[in-house]
Amino acid sequence: MIEAVAFYLFATLVIAAGALTVLVRNPVHSVLWLIVAFFNAAGLMVLVGAEFIAMLLVIVYVGAIAVLFLFVVMMLDIDFAALRAGFVRYLPLGALLALVLAAEMVFAIAAWTAGGIDLGARIAPTPAAKPNIEAVGALLYTHYLFVFEAAGLVLLVALIGAVVLTQRKRGGGRPQNAAKQIARRPEDAVRNIDAPVGEGIEL
């Protein structure tokens, strides 16, 4: 009974927070509702025994991605009127995509309840005494080790590419000359001037 109440509570809060993420006018409030949705989704993952995914939702998505979204939204000078005008312009396309996604969900639920697909045979069985995190780690670093390393290399290349794109030369800038700064002497930067009383100095 407690598990059923917790499931419906978390599911309701996830749906409500997801809807408010899209519908609220203030983008900062939208990011905050997104964080609420992530927390409740983590609660659902704990209920089904996937505590590793729940930890990823809290640490990675809430602790890094959602906070990054929040800082970006607060620092950028966004024209909210233009965003609302774009929302109204693309509303028919968005409604069409929402109907397609809803139809796919209904089809998937109908296929699952029909019993023709054996979902239990498609997942990796784990012993009852083995924690979920240990099972995922053992599978990730043994059977999928090379794929995991390849994904890390792809992310490294993406990081280097982002740094290279931000370091491109722009016109009108003053580049830093580290060698010239290090070779600078104190007498090149400081001047001792005996200024007359009541008069200023010429710069």
Side-chain angles (χ1 to χ4, degrees):
M1 183 64 184
I2 296 178
E3 292 181 358
V5 172
F7 170 77
Y8 286 111
L9 176 63
F10 286 139
T12 304
L13 290 176
V14 166
I15 295 174
L20 289 172
T21 301
V22 180
L23 297 177
V24 294
R25 295 180 177 271
N26 194 329
V28 177
H29 296 168
S30 179
V31 176
L32 294 178
W33 282 116
L34 181 64
I35 294 175
V36 174
F38 282 149
F39 269 112
N40 289 278
L44 289 176
M45 293 298 105
V46 172
L47 288 179
V48 298
E51 61 270 12
F52 179 71
I53 300 179
M55 182 182 67
L56 287 180
L57 282 173
V58 174
I59 296 177
V60 177
Y61 285 90
V62 176
I65 297 177
V67 175
L68 178 64
F69 286 168
L70 184 61
F71 281 131
V72 170
V73 167
M74 293 175 67
M75 287 189 300
L76 293 180
D77 187 13
I78 302 175
D79 189 1
F80 299 119
L83 288 179
R84 296 189 186 98
F87 175 79
V88 174
R89 183 173 58 180
Y90 292 109
L91 183 60
L93 179 60
L96 178 61
L97 291 177
L99 290 176
V100 171
L101 292 176
E104 290 180 353
M105 293 178 62
V106 171
F107 179 74
I109 293 173
W112 178 65
T113 54
I117 302 175
D118 189 6
L119 297 178
R122 296 176 180 269
I123 60 176
T126 56
K130 195 173 186 179
N132 180 256
I133 299 177
E134 183 179 350
V136 171
L139 187 64
L140 188 63
Y141 290 103
T142 55
H143 188 70
Y144 297 104
L145 177 61
F146 295 108
V147 180
F148 181 75
E149 294 295 336
L153 289 176
V154 170
L155 292 176
L156 178 61
V157 171
L159 176 63
I160 295 174
V163 173
V164 170
L165 289 176
T166 55
Q167 293 296 325
R168 65 181 185 273
K169 293 183 179 180
R170 298 178 176 87
R174 299 180 62 184
Q176 182 182 10
N177 191 342
K180 185 177 179 181
Q181 291 177 349
I182 294 174
R184 191 176 187 183
R185 299 175 300 172
E187 54 268 20
D188 296 334
V190 179
R191 289 190 304 166
N192 294 324
I193 297 177
D194 187 9
V197 178
E199 297 181 8
I201 61 174
E202 295 181 0
L203 299 177

